[in-house]
Amino acid sequence: MSYTKLSDWNKCTKCGICLVKCPVMNLDKPTAIAEITELLQTGYSEKIFSECTFCFNCNKYCPENLRPHELFLEKYLDERKKKGKISAIIPYLFNGMPSSMWKDIYAMLSKNEKSILKKWSEIPPPSKEILWVGCIGRMSCADIENSTILRELPKFGPPDLCCGELAYRLGSWKAYTDTVEKTLKAFEKLKIERMVCYCGSCYSYLSNILKNVYGRELPFKLISLYEWLNEKKESGGITVKKPLNLKTTLHESCYVSELGDGFARNLQAIYKAAGADIVELSHHGDFNLSCGAVSVIRTLDLRKSLFKEQNKKYKEVKQTGIRHMAVNCPGCFITLSFTNRFAGIKLHYMPDELLEAYGDTITKPLSTRISLIIRAFMKHPSLPLKRVDAEISPGQSY
């Protein structure tokens, strides 16, 4: 199986709309047609390979309902394979690998936190709904476990299970397949009607990507944390205890364009209800700019990839006259946290702030947990210098 087989590219009319509407490249129609034609005919496009941030926006505009994102990703990876191998930093990011950043991070948690993850590894008793906590959320397991807002939700989040996002976005279909199959096998044991996703990325990958790309569906309903919180607010189950009193811009992650208006509405509605006044950026909704994280697959030169894309975002924030930016995606928050201070922008992690606004006490916000990631990478200082085969599966060692 490969990414390009996910869509029938014989149906492509080479209209170029996916590139014309791209918020990053924004090509004129003749150039867009030329680039998509060259890519399909030769497997190469200088423009796409040097500028695409692999952000999903193009998928929304294809009149044939094809998925240009996956085409661009696979063709780029094919070109990279011709030039040799990839940095070992890539598979180290995947949960489930023999040597994994996540395994190293969880090993650094406190004794109490490790006991919580052990508890979350057990299949909970049958219930109407549970809270699924993904890779990054497990770093904040104590606050989630002790949350009064989330108290009624049994928690499930074994350390070695994953929605597969990083493997998918960084180009390993094999690693994604093996990861998601392991997770689905565990999900089959759950006796629930509904799963609430703490992480927006998990919600995107376990709903949209799993169904529309991988061709599988969960045996229960899936909703986001934001939808669940809105339900509780509307029913009177939760009320604002500590209003945010915040005027901020909003960084909407790449998958917002994939999830449709419902996710974005719930995201903004619950944040506004908690006391936030949101000012839209020039690029927002299904025309948003990414945090630049996936751009690093083009090169490990952060200045030419990650920082370049983040500077575009910071420039738009400053144009509003506001120096605050709310972020719902944990990956985006972590990525932006390495540069926001240089831009003079204060970041707000929405899950932490929402739970506090409705009455919780957050003792270890995500902003303080980023040090665990840094420490994990410090354990492997030679990683960027090692090279491994471009196609990685969780069963492989490198």
Side-chain angles (χ1 to χ4, degrees):
M1 185 67 175
S2 68
Y3 286 111
T4 51
K5 292 181 180 178
L6 302 176
S7 296
D8 181 3
W9 287 99
N10 289 321
K11 294 181 179 179
C12 179
T13 62
K14 303 180 182 63
C15 66
I17 296 299
C18 57
L19 298 178
V20 170
K21 292 186 175 292
C22 170
V24 178
M25 287 178 274
N26 194 27
L27 304 181
D28 58 61
K29 193 168 181 64
T31 304
I33 292 173
E35 292 296 331
I36 194 68
T37 299
E38 181 180 11
L39 183 68
L40 289 171
Q41 291 180 348
T42 70
Y44 183 84
S45 165
E46 177 65 32
K47 191 75 173 175
I48 294 173
F49 288 177
S50 63
E51 296 187 24
C52 177
T53 61
F54 308 101
C55 70
F56 292 119
N57 274 290
C58 53
N59 289 341
K60 188 175 182 68
Y61 301 112
C62 178
E64 301 299 324
N65 294 318
L66 303 176
R67 294 184 62 86
H69 164 266
E70 282 80 14
L71 173 70
F72 300 162
L73 178 60
E74 181 166 295
K75 292 302 183 183
Y76 174 78
L77 293 174
D78 287 344
E79 181 67 19
R80 187 177 65 184
K81 290 175 187 177
K82 294 176 185 177
K83 297 179 179 179
K85 298 183 178 182
I86 66 173
S87 169
I89 200 172
I90 301 298
Y92 181 63
L93 295 171
F94 303 163
N95 197 344
M97 298 295 288
S99 178
S100 166
M101 173 182 73
W102 301 105
K103 183 184 294 185
D104 291 339
I105 287 173
Y106 301 149
M108 289 185 276
L109 297 180
S110 69
K111 183 178 180 180
N112 176 57
E113 290 169 325
K114 290 177 182 176
S115 68
I116 292 173
L117 292 187
K118 183 178 180 180
K119 175 184 175 182
W120 288 2
S121 297
E122 300 173 357
I123 300 297
S127 61
K128 181 179 179 181
E129 54 190 9
I130 66 167
L131 180 71
W132 162 255
V133 186
C135 298
I136 295 179
R138 293 168 200 147
M139 295 193 296
S140 302
C141 59
D143 283 327
I144 295 173
E145 176 70 11
N146 297 323
S147 167
T148 57
I149 306 303
L150 305 173
R151 180 171 45 201
E152 67 185 74
L153 293 171
K155 284 67 174 184
F156 186 62
D160 61 338
L161 296 187
C162 178
C163 69
E165 178 188 20
L166 285 174
Y168 190 89
R169 300 214 69 185
L170 295 176
S172 179
W173 179 255
K174 173 61 175 167
Y176 169 77
T177 299
D178 290 352
T179 299
V180 79
E181 284 296 336
K182 183 178 181 180
T183 299
L184 289 175
K185 187 174 181 180
F187 282 178
E188 290 174 358
K189 300 176 183 178
L190 298 174
K191 304 299 181 183
I192 59 173
E193 297 178 18
R194 212 166 62 156
M195 175 180 281
V196 181
C197 279
Y198 182 81
C199 169
S201 297
C202 286
Y203 176 69
S204 175
Y205 273 76
L206 293 176
S207 58
N208 170 53
I209 299 297
L210 184 66
K211 177 181 178 180
N212 298 322
V213 178
Y214 195 60
R216 297 283 296 277
E217 291 190 56
L218 297 176
F220 40 74
K221 184 177 180 181
L222 194 75
I223 66 169
S224 71
L225 173 68
Y226 310 106
E227 184 177 354
W228 187 85
L229 288 173
N230 267 315
E231 288 179 357
K232 292 299 174 183
K233 176 182 68 69
E234 292 298 323
S235 67
I238 59 174
T239 56
V240 176
K241 302 292 195 305
K242 294 176 283 186
L244 296 176
N245 296 322
L246 172 68
K247 188 171 186 178
T248 180
T249 59
L250 177 64
H251 167 73
E252 294 166 302
S253 56
C254 294
Y255 50 73
V256 169
S257 63
E258 291 267 280
L259 293 175
D261 294 337
F263 180 83
R265 281 198 304 269
N266 276 301
L267 182 70
Q268 294 203 23
I270 191 64
Y271 205 51
K272 289 179 178 179
D277 180 9
I278 297 174
V279 178
E280 297 282 18
L281 295 173
S282 299
H283 289 83
H284 65 273
D286 58 15
F287 194 62
N288 58 343
L289 295 177
S290 80
C291 69
V294 187
S295 303
V296 299
I297 70 169
R298 296 200 304 260
T299 172
L300 289 179
D301 186 330
L302 299 183
R303 182 179 58 82
K304 292 183 179 179
S305 53
L306 180 67
F307 298 161
K308 175 184 175 182
E309 301 308 324
Q310 292 184 351
N311 282 334
K312 295 178 184 177
K313 176 69 69 170
Y314 294 141
K315 182 178 179 180
E316 290 197 358
V317 173
K318 292 177 180 179
Q319 287 173 346
T320 68
I322 300 172
R323 293 302 180 101
H324 295 263
M325 182 164 64
V327 185
N328 79 282
C329 170
C332 291
F333 181 83
I334 291 171
T335 304
L336 291 163
S337 291
F338 289 103
T339 60
N340 70 297
R341 292 176 182 82
F342 298 107
I345 305 297
K346 180 176 174 56
L347 297 182
H348 300 267
Y349 185 50
M350 297 174 75
D352 283 346
E353 291 196 337
L354 284 169
L355 292 179
E356 282 213 312
Y358 284 95
D360 278 349
T361 298
I362 302 299
T363 62
K364 294 182 179 179
L366 183 57
S367 58
T368 66
R369 307 261 78 185
I370 296 174
S371 61
L372 294 173
I373 298 175
I374 297 173
R375 289 165 59 192
F377 274 93
M378 288 178 66
K379 292 179 61 176
H380 296 273
S382 64
L383 270 175
L385 304 178
K386 294 172 62 178
R387 319 306 284 183
V388 296
D389 291 334
E391 184 59 41
I392 302 295
S393 71
Q396 286 180 271
S397 175
Y398 58 93

